[in-house]
């Protein structure tokens, strides 16, 4: 599985760079990456992350459609915006409830290696991916958190290439956060 993990990591790196640049071309790389990562995570008994890849496949198809129909800005990239305060609170509360419920189920009904850590990464990732598909700035705040947590968990589980990838994702997520903020500021001016 080591070669598959490294290929998935390489596809992920290209994907996240293209997302940070607001390029539609991120989606083919994302679809290939999540397909491979399903098998990597299943073999590592990180079942929440394996199931998450199925969700990612579907939400990436949705995101691709949304981005194709999105307004473009002067640099040719996709326009982005923010959540309102009420929506932000609903996303936080809903994500927390989902994490607790999913982690409890994984702990009780499976031999998951790290049920609550894995559920936290999966739950925040779901929220981040949906928000990113909707071109919301806050998605990058969530990706920063996911990448920090995932780097440690994947290293602990012996998924070294994936851990390195998520450490790189962390840096790129910081770049995406800044770049999307600059885009919003430039469009608003």
């Amino acid at each position: 599985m080591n070669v598959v993990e490294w290929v998935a990591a390489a596809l992920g790196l290209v994907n996240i760079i293209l997302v940070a640049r607001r390029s539609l071309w991120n989606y083919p790389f994302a679809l290939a990456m999540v397909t491979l990562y399903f098998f990597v995570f299943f073999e590592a008994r990180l079942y929440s992350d394996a199931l998450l890849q199925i969700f990612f496949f579907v939400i990436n198809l949705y995101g691709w459609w949304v981005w194709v129909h999105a307004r473009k800005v002067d640099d040719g990239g996709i326009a982005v915006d923010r959540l309102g305060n009420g929506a932000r609170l609903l996303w936080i509360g809903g994500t927390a409830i989902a994490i607790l419920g999913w982690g409890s189920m994984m702990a009780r009904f499976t031999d998951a290696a790290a049920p609550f850590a894995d559920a936290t990464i999966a739950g925040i990732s779901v929220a981040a991916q949906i928000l990113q598909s909707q071109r919301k700035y806050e998605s990058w705040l969530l990706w920063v958190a996911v990448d920090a947590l995932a780097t440690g968990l994947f290293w602990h589980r012996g998924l070294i290439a994936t851990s390195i990838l998520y450490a790189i994702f962390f840096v790129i997520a910081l770049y995406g956060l800044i770049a999307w903020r600059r885009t919003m500021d430039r469009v608003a001016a």
Side-chain angles (χ1 to χ4, degrees):
M1 194 58 79
N2 197 18
V3 171
V4 174
E5 181 189 359
W6 282 98
V7 171
L11 290 167
L13 185 58
V14 173
N15 167 246
I16 196 73
I17 290 169
L18 292 172
V19 171
R21 297 182 67 189
R22 301 176 343 272
S23 170
L24 281 172
W25 288 103
N26 81 82
Y27 286 103
F29 291 94
L31 294 171
M33 173 190 66
V34 301
T35 300
L36 294 178
Y37 264 125
F38 172 83
F39 298 103
V40 170
F41 290 135
F42 190 82
E43 184 175 288
R45 293 188 7 242
L46 294 172
Y47 303 128
S48 294
D49 276 309
L51 291 172
L52 182 61
Q53 304 314 302
I54 297 169
F55 166 79
F56 279 159
F57 192 89
V58 172
I59 199 69
N60 273 295
L61 292 173
Y62 163 75
W64 200 348
W65 184 86
V66 169
W67 281 39
V68 162
H69 295 93
R71 182 174 59 89
K72 309 298 186 276
V73 294
D74 58 354
D75 66 358
I78 303 302
V80 297
D81 62 0
R82 299 181 152 259
L83 289 172
N85 289 335
R88 198 174 296 124
L89 288 174
L90 286 173
W91 276 98
I92 291 168
T95 301
I97 291 167
I99 289 167
L100 291 173
W102 189 256
S104 296
M105 287 188 348
M106 286 289 124
R108 181 173 177 147
F109 299 115
T110 74
D111 65 341
F116 286 98
D118 198 21
T120 299
I121 292 166
I124 297 172
S125 294
V126 166
Q129 188 64 49
I130 292 170
L131 291 173
Q132 190 169 71
S133 294
Q134 297 173 351
R135 303 170 343 272
K136 300 297 183 187
Y137 167 77
E138 290 82 0
S139 66
W140 287 109
L141 296 168
L142 297 177
W143 284 126
V144 167
V146 165
D147 297 339
L149 295 169
T151 298
L153 176 63
F154 298 152
W155 186 273
H156 175 72
R157 292 300 302 156
L159 299 173
I160 304 308
T162 304
S163 179
I164 292 167
L165 175 66
Y166 274 79
I168 295 168
F169 278 178
F170 178 82
V171 173
I172 297 170
L174 290 173
Y175 165 78
L177 184 71
I178 294 165
W180 280 32
R181 175 60 186 243
R182 286 181 182 156
T183 297
M184 287 188 313
D185 291 346
R186 188 178 67 246
V187 170

